């Protein structure tokens, strides 16, 4: 007993919630190389970092001006007034940078997309874009060098670059024939053509042979312009198409029909008519707010338009329970994450072991209005084998129509039954009943639905009918107000409403992230659901129930899984800070990942971003923006090897230095350092390009430039 006891007492005293960093890695407050850590409460409250010198000078100047001001002009505040002022100041500085803007970066000469791809523009001289490829290449910046994993290093400049080669005759100075295009390397072609910032990776110098023909680069086809030809590896393109082509891309013609309300939704219309008839009855649902509507799941109203049966329909009719039962027990689940949970990030997490992925929360009202920003949120990558879409809305007339559109266009995943055909599909649709953001909550969506069970029931029943075979799931918090958990009351209603799976985040809406998740209450909800749902058929699994909250290590995952009895755990912030958490979970170990391994993960993310957003100037800087968004979380990771004990998710370290210079840089909270890291893979950031973190205290900067 004396050994462990003496070991504990030998540890230095640290405040509660502080990660224990080994003494040799601690740095004094005078060291400017590492920013002090920012905890989640500070992220909500906007605490000013100690080494934000410019802001400190401004504050000092303001304080000096206050001190020089005559005392008579200073109003005297009572204790209550001072507390009120403090609350107002805190509110002013908390939350998101709502005014942040990201300027679109364009080439100096706007080249026509058709011409850039080696095609003929049908507009001809009427086209408002340039058709002058030589002029475009002469004004274009030098190609970006794309390093391989073997070129990365933990010492400055963190990447080894080849010696500049002698320019080839006839090749513009902007083209680097030694670079590699990440898009071409993966797919065999680059859709950006001559606009690609890695152009040298997929062009060939066209030189005449003895026969008068032009040599090409390998077994390829090409489209030429002057001395350069665009190269396409047809064999690789055909081989990789199904493995790289993104799915669930909604045609704009159909989005237009949805916006103009011309898209047919017969099942939804029939359901809404039924609700109207029930509302007209004296004892209808509107007169009994706490009672769920009559689900009538087994016999939904027939659509107004006849439907064509699928050729592979079985002779035996489908049992109603079959579509509502998901076999998710033991699978890892990446939470739907706004902004950072984009397709390239989900793809990265799948590489690292995530089994279930879900798109970013999409607002049903924006989908109905045909938003060009909202519809791309339903896209998926072929590597996402179990993929769903999360919707937020406040009433059946908003959510049911979108559910029917998704069923019609995408159909059951993997069978190509939807109108968009093979390569598209959904494995489930999730309803957000947990979002705490004021804008969502005040509209009656998100966590507001927890206080309106009757309305929630109408939504789920209508969506369940409209979705056909696609399972319907929900994500909830424990309740709305602190100390008033209500989620357990929903458990007996989920099966009648047609819910196929549920995830419970172990906090109320009011708590946000200020307290530890309540896994004991999650266990209570598991018991309530298991007692309420019994299987009439032995071969059907029960409704899966997932938990969530404060899972940052493999130990957290497996301990909470066993403690609560959930079927699995949805990982959110833990994945944002360390995407490799899914590897740790599957291997049941804590990974002391090296700085070079982390840099290679960032390299993959950059390449996946270029494949998704494009490798032209605009696509490169869109990738750069989300690269910095990802680093705003990953910079909070404290390397396991410098800690005396494994931290909890909310534990924050004192200022520290890494085991090498790269590890120190990766821990920087300065958004300018994030931009510098992006330049390793995406080239120099344009002078006019700036990055502002989403949360006010997620980063500091020495000036307004890239902060």
């Amino acid at each position: 007993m004396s050994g462990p006891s003496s070991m504990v007492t030998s540890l230095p005293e640290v405040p509660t919630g502080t990660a224990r960093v080994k003494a040799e890695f601690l740095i004094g407050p005078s060291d400017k190389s590492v920013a002090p850590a920012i905890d989640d409460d500070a992220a909500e409250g906007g605490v000013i970092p100690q080494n934000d010198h410019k802001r400190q000078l401004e504050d000092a100047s303001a304080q000096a001006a206050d001190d020089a001001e005559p005392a008579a002009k200073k109003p005297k505040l009572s204790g209550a007034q001072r507390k009120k002022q403090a609350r107002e100041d805190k509110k002013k500085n908390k939350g998101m940078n709502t005014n942040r803007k990201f300027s679109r970066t364009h080439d100096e000469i706007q080249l026509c997309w058709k011409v850039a791809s080696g095609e003929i523009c049908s507009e001809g001289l009427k086209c408002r874009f340039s058709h002058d490829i030589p002029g475009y290449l002469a004004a274009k910046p030098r190609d970006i060098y794309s390093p391989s994993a073997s070129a990365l290093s933990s010492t400055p400049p963190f990447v080894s670059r080849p010696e500049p080669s002698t320019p080839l005759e006839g090749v513009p100075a902007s083209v680097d024939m030694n670079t590699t295009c990440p898009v071409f390397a993966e797919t065999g072609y680059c859709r950006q053509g001559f606009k690609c910032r890695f152009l040298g990776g997929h062009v060939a110098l066209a030189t005449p042979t003895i026969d008068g023909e032009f040599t090409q680069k390998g077994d390829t086809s090409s489209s030429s312009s002057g001395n350069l030809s665009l190269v396409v590896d047809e064999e690789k393109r055909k081989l990789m198409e199904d493995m790289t082509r993104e799915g669930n891309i909604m045609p704009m013609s159909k989005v237009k029909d949805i916006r103009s309300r011309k898209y047919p939704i017969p099942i939804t219309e029939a359901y809404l008519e039924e609700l109207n008839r029930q509302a007209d009855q004296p004892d209808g649902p509107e007169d009994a707010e706490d009672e769920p509507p009559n689900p009538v799941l087994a016999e939904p109203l027939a659509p107004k338009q006849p439907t064509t049966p699928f050729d592979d329909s079985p002779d035996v009719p489908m049992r109603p329970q079959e579509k509502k039962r998901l076999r998710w027990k033991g699978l890892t689940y990446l939470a739907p994450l706004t902004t950072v949970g984009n397709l390239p990030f989900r793809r990265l997490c799948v590489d690292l072991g995530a089994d279930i992925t879900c798109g970013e929360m999409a607002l049903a009202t924006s989908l109905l209005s045909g938003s060009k920003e909202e519809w791309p949120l339903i896209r998926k990558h072929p590597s996402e084998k179990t993929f769903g879409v999360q919707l937020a809305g406040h009433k059946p007339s908003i959510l049911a129509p979108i559910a029917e559109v998704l069923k019609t266009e995408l159909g059951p995943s993997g069978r190509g039954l939807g109108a968009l055909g093979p390569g598209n599909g959904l494995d489930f649709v999730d309803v957000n009943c947990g979002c705490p953001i004021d804008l969502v909550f005040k509209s009656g969506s998100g966590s507001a639905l927890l206080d309106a069970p009757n309305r929630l029931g109408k939504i789920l029943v209508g969506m369940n009918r409209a979705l056909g075979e696609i399972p319907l799931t929900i994500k909830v918090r424990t309740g709305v107000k602190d100390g008033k958990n209500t989620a357990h009351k929903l458990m007996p209603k989920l099966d009648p409403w047609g819910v196929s799976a549920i995830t419970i985040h172990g906090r109320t809406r009011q708590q946000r992230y200020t307290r530890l998740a309540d896994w004991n209450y999650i266990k209570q909800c598991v018991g309530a659901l298991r007692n309420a749902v019994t299987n009439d058929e032995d071969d059907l699994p029960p409704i899966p129930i997932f938990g969530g909250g404060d899972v940052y290590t493999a130990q957290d995952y497996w301990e909470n899984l066993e403690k609560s009895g959930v079927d699995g755990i949805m990982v959110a912030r833990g994945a944002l800070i360390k995407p490799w958490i899914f590897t740790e979970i599957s291997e049941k170990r804590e990974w002391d990942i090296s700085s070079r391994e982390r840099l290679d993960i960032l390299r993959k993310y950059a390449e996946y971003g270029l494949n998704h957003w494009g490798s032209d100037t605009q696509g490169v800087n869109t990738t750069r923006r989300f690269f910095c968004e990802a680093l705003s979380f990953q910079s909070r990771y404290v390397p396991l090897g410098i800690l005396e004990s494994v931290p909890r998710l909310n534990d924050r370290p004192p200022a520290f230095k890494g085991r090498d210079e790269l590890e120190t840089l990766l821990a920087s909270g300065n958004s300018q350092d994030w931009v510098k890291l992006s330049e390793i893979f995406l080239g120099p950031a344009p002078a006019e390009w700036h990055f502002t973190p989403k949360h006010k205290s997620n980063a500091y900067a020495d000036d307004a430039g890239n902060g």
Side-chain angles (χ1 to χ4, degrees):
M1 295 295 292
S2 60
S5 176
S6 61
M7 184 182 299
V8 173
T9 56
S10 67
L11 293 176
E13 291 294 329
V14 295
T16 303
T18 302
R20 292 184 176 274
V21 176
K22 294 177 181 177
E24 60 266 34
F25 297 103
L26 292 173
I27 59 175
S30 61
D31 194 303
K32 310 299 189 300
S33 63
V34 177
I38 302 170
D39 61 20
D40 287 328
D41 288 337
E44 292 292 333
V47 176
I48 298 173
Q50 291 296 318
N51 48 355
D52 189 344
H53 302 298
K54 182 176 180 181
R55 191 175 299 179
Q56 286 182 344
L57 290 174
E58 292 173 351
D59 291 345
S61 299
Q63 183 62 46
D66 288 343
D67 293 341
E69 191 176 358
K73 293 185 178 181
K74 291 184 178 180
K76 292 184 178 181
L77 302 177
S78 66
Q81 288 174 323
R82 286 196 299 271
K83 289 182 180 179
K84 181 179 179 181
Q85 183 65 46
R87 287 195 300 269
E88 290 176 353
D89 291 342
K90 183 177 180 180
K91 184 176 181 181
K92 180 180 178 181
N93 292 322
K94 74 181 292 189
M96 300 182 183
N97 283 307
T98 55
N99 294 324
R100 66 179 189 152
K101 296 180 180 179
F102 297 95
S103 58
R104 286 177 173 257
T105 50
H106 298 285
D107 294 319
E108 182 180 336
I109 296 176
Q110 296 288 299
L111 187 66
C112 171
W113 277 104
K114 285 283 188 180
V115 173
S117 302
E119 301 176 16
I120 298 176
C121 177
S122 59
E123 295 292 325
L125 296 176
K126 296 180 180 179
C127 181
R128 62 191 182 96
F129 298 105
S130 173
H131 289 187
D132 180 10
I133 294 180
Y136 169 79
L137 294 178
K140 186 183 177 188
R142 179 76 170 169
D143 278 351
I144 298 169
Y145 170 67
S146 177
S148 63
S150 60
L152 303 181
S153 169
S154 60
T155 57
F158 310 120
V159 60
S160 59
R161 300 177 185 274
E163 292 293 328
S165 58
T166 304
L168 297 176
E169 184 179 355
V171 177
S174 63
V175 179
D176 180 3
M177 302 296 285
N178 290 324
T179 194
T180 301
C181 173
V183 179
F184 180 85
E186 181 178 42
T187 64
Y189 81 107
C190 179
R191 62 184 182 275
Q192 308 298 332
F194 286 103
K195 292 173 71 71
C196 177
R197 289 300 316 278
F198 307 84
L199 178 60
H202 51 83
V203 290
L205 185 61
T207 54
T209 63
I210 298 177
D211 308 355
E213 306 239 339
F214 286 88
T215 60
Q216 301 301 331
K217 193 175 181 179
D219 184 14
T220 60
S221 64
S222 69
S223 298
S224 62
S225 175
N227 294 328
L228 295 179
S229 298
L230 290 175
V231 174
V232 178
D233 188 335
E234 295 290 359
E235 183 178 349
K236 187 172 187 178
R237 180 177 182 176
K238 188 177 297 183
L239 179 67
M240 298 298 295
E241 186 172 13
D242 290 341
M243 292 184 283
T244 59
R245 182 180 58 195
E246 295 179 7
N248 299 355
I249 301 176
M250 186 69 71
M252 289 309 300
S253 59
K254 297 189 177 182
V255 173
K256 183 178 179 180
D257 287 344
I258 295 168
R259 182 175 63 246
S260 59
R261 300 191 178 186
K262 295 179 181 178
Y263 193 97
I265 47 171
I267 297 176
T268 297
E269 290 173 352
Y271 177 69
L272 294 179
E273 286 179 9
E274 179 185 347
L275 287 183
N276 289 333
R277 289 196 301 270
Q278 292 180 5
D280 291 338
Q281 299 174 6
D283 57 346
E286 297 298 332
D287 298 326
E289 183 62 28
D290 292 332
E291 294 298 323
N294 182 11
V296 201
L297 290 179
E299 300 294 337
L301 292 177
K304 294 181 178 179
Q305 300 178 2
T307 57
T308 304
F310 301 119
D311 295 335
D312 59 347
S313 297
D315 295 332
V316 180
M318 183 188 72
R319 294 170 294 176
Q321 294 89 344
E322 282 182 331
K323 98 120 179 190
K324 297 183 294 176
R325 298 293 191 252
L326 296 170
R327 302 178 186 273
W328 283 3
K329 187 174 180 63
L331 301 183
T332 53
Y333 192 163
L334 172 65
L337 302 163
T338 305
T339 305
V340 185
N342 45 60
L343 184 147
F345 181 78
R346 299 196 307 269
R347 184 180 173 188
L348 181 68
C349 289
V350 169
D351 285 351
L352 293 167
D355 296 313
I356 306 170
T357 55
C358 187
E360 302 172 62
M361 180 184 73
L363 299 177
T365 51
S366 298
L367 294 173
L368 284 176
S369 63
S371 169
K372 293 181 180 180
E373 290 75 25
E374 213 76 8
W375 275 104
L377 298 181
I378 73 170
R379 294 185 183 182
K380 73 167 186 174
H381 189 265
S383 63
E384 298 182 86
K385 300 304 181 184
T386 304
F387 172 76
V389 170
Q390 187 182 70
L391 303 177
H394 66 288
K395 55 184 178 180
S397 59
I398 296 295
L399 285 161
I402 293 299
E404 188 164 358
V405 170
L406 293 176
K407 183 265 297 183
T408 303
E409 297 300 328
L410 302 178
S413 180
R415 294 174 61 188
L417 299 180
L420 294 186
N424 303 279
L426 295 174
D427 294 285
F428 63 97
V429 171
D430 188 73
V431 179
N432 186 306
C433 305
C435 182
I437 298 174
D438 289 344
L439 183 66
V440 175
F441 180 81
K442 291 178 179 179
S443 72
S445 306
S447 54
L449 291 172
L450 297 176
D451 280 348
N454 185 47
R455 179 154 46 93
L456 175 60
K458 295 179 189 178
I459 290 170
L460 297 177
V461 170
M463 291 184 69
N464 196 52
R465 292 188 186 180
L467 285 171
E469 292 184 42
I470 301 177
L472 178 67
T473 69
I474 63 172
K475 182 176 182 287
V476 304
R477 284 188 173 237
T478 60
V480 174
K481 295 182 179 180
D482 191 10
K484 295 184 178 180
N485 293 330
T486 58
H488 64 281
K489 298 179 182 179
L490 294 176
M491 299 301 117
K493 305 175 183 180
L494 297 182
D495 193 35
W497 287 346
V499 174
S500 298
I502 180 173
T503 300
I504 304 175
H505 180 179
R507 295 182 179 89
T508 63
R509 184 252 175 184
Q510 188 177 3
Q511 288 173 341
R512 301 292 178 98
Y513 295 97
T514 58
R515 297 187 184 179
L516 296 178
D518 189 348
W519 281 92
N520 289 324
Y521 181 70
I522 292 176
K523 180 179 181 180
Q524 180 183 339
C525 291
V526 172
L529 181 64
R530 295 287 182 259
N531 292 333
V533 179
T534 57
N535 294 331
D536 296 330
E537 317 237 3
D538 294 334
D539 61 330
L540 293 177
I543 295 177
I545 179 168
F546 277 61
D550 301 333
V551 171
Y552 184 58
T553 65
Q555 182 179 348
D556 292 336
Y557 186 94
W558 293 108
E559 283 184 355
N560 286 322
L561 189 78
E562 183 177 356
K563 171 184 177 181
S564 62
V566 294
D567 295 296
I569 294 177
M570 178 184 281
V571 185
R573 284 184 299 162
L576 291 175
I577 297 171
K578 41 186 274 191
W580 55 92
I581 189 174
F582 296 105
T583 302
E584 295 181 324
I585 292 169
S586 62
E587 297 179 1
K588 295 187 177 182
R589 69 180 178 98
E590 311 303 339
W591 183 4
D592 185 15
I593 188 171
S594 69
S595 60
R596 189 176 174 279
E597 288 172 319
R598 291 170 63 191
L599 190 62
D600 189 46
I601 287 175
L602 290 172
R603 177 190 65 84
K604 284 187 178 180
Y605 180 71
E607 292 185 356
Y608 291 165
L610 293 169
N611 272 275
H612 179 61
W613 289 297
S615 57
D616 63 327
T617 297
Q618 184 174 326
V620 164
N621 288 300
T622 300
T623 301
R624 191 190 310 278
R625 178 232 162 153
F626 288 103
F627 185 97
C628 292
E629 300 277 14
L631 274 173
S632 72
F633 286 95
Q634 292 187 36
S635 61
R636 291 168 52 180
Y637 173 71
V638 185
L640 191 63
I642 73 170
L643 292 167
E644 293 182 337
S645 59
V646 178
R648 296 182 305 179
L649 178 57
N650 291 332
D651 288 350
R652 295 292 175 262
F656 69 90
K657 60 182 178 182
R659 291 166 289 188
D660 52 56
E661 292 187 59
L662 177 59
E663 197 164 69
T664 300
L665 181 62
L666 289 169
S668 173
N670 189 333
S671 59
Q672 291 184 0
D673 286 333
W674 307 340
V675 176
K676 291 175 185 176
L677 283 165
S678 77
E679 292 177 339
I680 295 175
F681 310 106
L682 304 172
E688 70 277 11
W689 190 89
H690 307 298
F691 176 74
T692 304
K694 185 174 183 180
H695 292 280
K696 292 182 180 179
S697 60
N698 256 24
Y700 62 92
D702 294 331
D703 56 50
N706 283 320

